[in-house]
Amino acid sequence: MNQPKRNRLPRYRILTAAVLLFYASAGASPLTLPMAVEETLKNNPDLLSAEETVSLARSQVEKAKAAYWPKVGLYAEALRADAPSAFLFKTIDQRLFDPGTDFNDPGILTNIEGGLEMQMPLYNGGRNQLAVAFSRSGLSATEARRTSLQRHLISEVINVWYDILSSRKFIDIAEESVRTVTAQLEAMTIRYKGGSALKSDLLSLKVRLAEAEERLLASNNRLKLSRAALFTLLGQGPDTPDSLAVGDPFNDWSPPPYTEGLAHALERRCEIKGAQAMVDQAGTGVRTAKSGHHPVVQLAGRLYADDDGFDHTADRANWSVALRMDLPLFSGFSVEADTRTARARERSAETLRKKTLLQVRLDVKNAYLRYDEAIKRHQVAENAVAMGEESLSLVKQQFEGGSATITRYLEAELDRNSARIREAAAFYDMKKALTAIALATATSDNGPGSLFALHPAPSTEQEK
């Protein structure tokens, strides 16, 4: 009579755990593509490193601007010497000079000096302005590289997203093939045991089932690899367990005409902006090298006091203000050498800019050509699927009527599934080509990362 009471508590615990697990799973929101893009831009190690590089470039700009400000500092000096010149000047600065001093044997000098120094550049041949311009061009180039990395990472995320979609499609096809062959194998086994089928037909079905299971295994592994690649891009590690709400980022997006896309790419591609920034920086380097012949004007001031101890007083303080100009007349042709080096860098940067323009044009052309090819491949694959379905239906009727062999049936089923796989691959290659066009032209600026328009919202159907 007491046995049911002893089992009641564990049952309650099991029920409670099941309820908690249900609510935990219901509350876990699946990862959508915009969320994946956001996580990539937030956590990807390459992008974090690029952000630090941009911060470093910004600090270089601030350092260049600091040259406009005066330099002010305090100093202190304790001196003990037996030198006539030091004895003379330091005692004069102490305002304690004794006119009867024997400078051949002045004795030991003790001096404590403290003061305030200021230096301010008034003109240095425009080097300060050039240094700021140089660092700003470097910052622009660094930001362009970071933007390029952002866009490529987003492109990779979307491509991996399509790999996951295509892997799920391949899995569905492989599972259907396994079910079909398994059903035929069961029927053939019954017929073989009844003596109405050949052993060779039974073995052919077993081989076909093994091939279908192998394709299913490969598709499942491809899905796992795609998921691992996605979470690696997200900076979370390939073993991160998570659910994916898989949706199509280009459900209703169509690329602009080729000429419009090319014009937009030449105007907006960050690689071109970065290459132009490098040309500007190299031109600034040429002007900086030429400024080596310009004069330098600097203002310096000093307020200080000396004493043989620590009895400094304001009435014995000293000050000086100096305006100094330095004009280099000859530097061993180093300025000319620096100028030739800077001009070579400028020519190299200009060559790189032209190469970047050509590469952008090639990227846009290739993207549109791949898109056209993918569309045509998808159309051909759709026709192949339709013909494969019709052929399989006819052969199935013939096989069931006894006028077609199992080998012919398996060939028709394999042809139909191969056509479906090609159709799915062509479809997602077409979607990836859209991604390549968006990346090459930088046309769609409404979505995460200022590259992709993610609309409509991805499906909330959770991945298996």
Side-chain angles (χ1 to χ4, degrees):
M1 297 296 293
N2 295 330
Q3 186 67 23
K5 294 181 180 179
R6 286 197 300 267
N7 289 337
R8 190 174 300 167
L9 183 57
R11 289 176 182 173
Y12 285 154
R13 288 179 178 175
I14 295 174
L15 180 59
T16 302
V19 172
L20 292 176
L21 181 61
F22 171 80
Y23 280 108
S25 61
S29 58
L31 182 68
T32 63
L33 182 56
M35 292 167 58
V37 170
E38 183 180 355
E39 288 298 315
T40 300
L41 298 179
K42 186 188 303 181
N43 299 324
N44 186 270
D46 293 334
L47 195 53
L48 293 177
S49 177
E51 291 288 352
E52 294 302 325
T53 304
V54 171
S55 297
L56 178 62
R58 288 198 182 101
S59 67
Q60 294 299 319
V61 175
E62 297 301 321
K63 182 179 179 180
K65 290 181 178 179
Y68 288 105
W69 291 89
K71 294 179 175 60
V72 181
L74 294 171
Y75 76 95
E77 175 188 85
L79 174 67
R80 189 169 177 81
D82 182 12
S85 59
F87 190 94
L88 172 63
F89 291 110
K90 291 301 181 182
T91 54
I92 291 176
D93 286 342
Q94 291 175 4
R95 303 180 187 265
L96 298 175
F97 176 69
D98 184 1
T101 301
D102 181 5
F103 286 100
N104 289 322
D105 186 17
I108 302 298
L109 168 68
T110 299
N111 184 64
I112 305 297
E113 180 177 309
L116 178 70
E117 288 184 326
M118 184 274 293
Q119 291 182 344
M120 183 174 182
L122 300 181
Y123 178 74
N124 64 348
R127 294 184 186 89
N128 290 344
Q129 297 91 328
L130 292 172
V132 173
F134 188 89
S135 58
R136 282 177 174 167
S137 297
L139 174 60
S140 298
T142 305
E143 289 177 336
R145 287 191 292 269
R146 180 195 59 184
T147 303
S148 177
L149 177 60
Q150 285 177 339
R151 292 183 170 180
H152 279 91
L153 285 174
I154 297 172
S155 174
E156 289 185 25
V157 170
I158 291 184
N159 283 334
V160 172
W161 206 265
Y162 279 129
D163 288 338
I164 293 174
L165 285 174
S166 61
S167 296
R168 286 165 56 87
K169 185 67 175 178
F170 294 164
I171 290 173
D172 291 340
I173 296 172
E175 287 177 343
E176 181 180 346
S177 179
V178 169
R179 288 193 298 269
T180 301
V181 178
T182 300
Q184 292 296 330
L185 179 59
E186 292 174 353
M188 185 63 68
T189 302
I190 295 174
R191 293 174 58 187
Y192 172 72
K193 291 180 179 179
S196 61
L198 298 175
K199 186 176 181 179
S200 60
D201 294 337
L202 182 65
L203 292 176
S204 296
L205 276 171
K206 289 183 178 180
V207 171
R208 179 69 183 91
L209 179 60
E211 292 175 350
E213 290 175 343
E214 181 182 359
R215 272 193 283 272
L216 177 59
L217 178 63
S219 298
N220 278 307
N221 190 58
R222 184 173 182 267
L223 176 60
K224 293 177 182 178
L225 290 174
S226 299
R227 286 173 57 90
L230 175 65
F231 287 111
T232 300
L233 287 171
L234 268 58
Q236 298 179 6
D239 298 321
T240 303
D242 205 341
S243 57
L244 303 180
V246 181
D248 185 356
F250 288 114
N251 219 15
D252 60 350
W253 188 83
S254 58
Y258 170 72
T259 54
E260 180 181 337
L262 177 60
H264 199 278
L266 296 177
E267 178 186 357
R268 300 290 298 276
R269 277 284 291 268
C270 54
E271 292 87 350
I272 296 178
K273 295 180 179 180
Q276 184 60 52
M278 295 300 294
V279 172
D280 296 340
Q281 189 178 46
T284 303
V286 174
R287 295 192 295 273
T288 302
K290 288 182 177 180
S291 67
H293 290 306
H294 296 173
V296 175
V297 181
Q298 186 169 348
L299 178 67
R302 184 181 173 201
L303 175 64
Y304 64 100
D306 293 271
D307 191 74
D308 56 2
F310 291 96
D311 296 328
H312 298 87
T313 57
D315 59 343
R316 291 194 294 131
N318 308 297
W319 62 269
S320 64
V321 177
L323 185 65
R324 179 186 175 93
M325 183 198 68
D326 294 296
L327 178 63
L329 298 179
F330 180 71
S331 57
F333 304 106
S334 62
V335 174
E336 287 75 13
D338 291 340
T339 303
R340 287 194 297 270
T341 301
R343 288 194 181 279
R345 290 174 179 167
E346 184 181 31
R347 290 191 296 270
S348 177
E350 179 62 29
T351 302
L352 181 60
R353 187 188 69 85
K354 293 179 180 179
K355 179 181 177 181
T356 303
L357 285 173
L358 292 175
Q359 187 62 50
V360 167
R361 290 178 176 272
L362 180 61
D363 288 347
V364 174
K365 187 67 175 180
N366 287 341
Y368 276 88
L369 289 176
R370 286 195 297 268
Y371 181 59
D372 292 339
E373 178 193 3
I375 290 177
K376 295 175 182 177
R377 282 176 49 218
H378 183 247
Q379 293 173 349
V380 172
E382 281 184 324
N383 294 332
V385 170
M387 291 184 290
E389 293 282 1
E390 184 178 359
S391 175
L392 178 60
S393 177
L394 294 175
V395 172
K396 184 177 181 181
Q397 293 177 5
Q398 295 170 0
F399 172 70
E400 292 174 349
S403 60
T405 64
I406 187 63
T407 302
R408 179 71 187 95
Y409 175 79
L410 292 177
E411 288 177 351
E413 195 268 345
L414 177 61
D415 291 341
R416 190 277 307 266
N417 288 342
S418 298
R420 291 178 64 191
I421 289 176
R422 289 195 300 272
E423 188 271 337
F427 176 78
Y428 290 111
D429 285 346
M430 182 175 62
K431 294 295 186 176
K432 288 183 180 180
L434 277 176
T435 306
I437 290 178
L439 178 66
T441 61
T443 298
S444 181
D445 297 326
N446 300 323
S450 298
L451 179 59
F452 296 111
L454 302 178
H455 55 80
S459 172
T460 56
E461 180 181 357
Q462 188 164 319
E463 181 190 357
K464 296 180 181 178

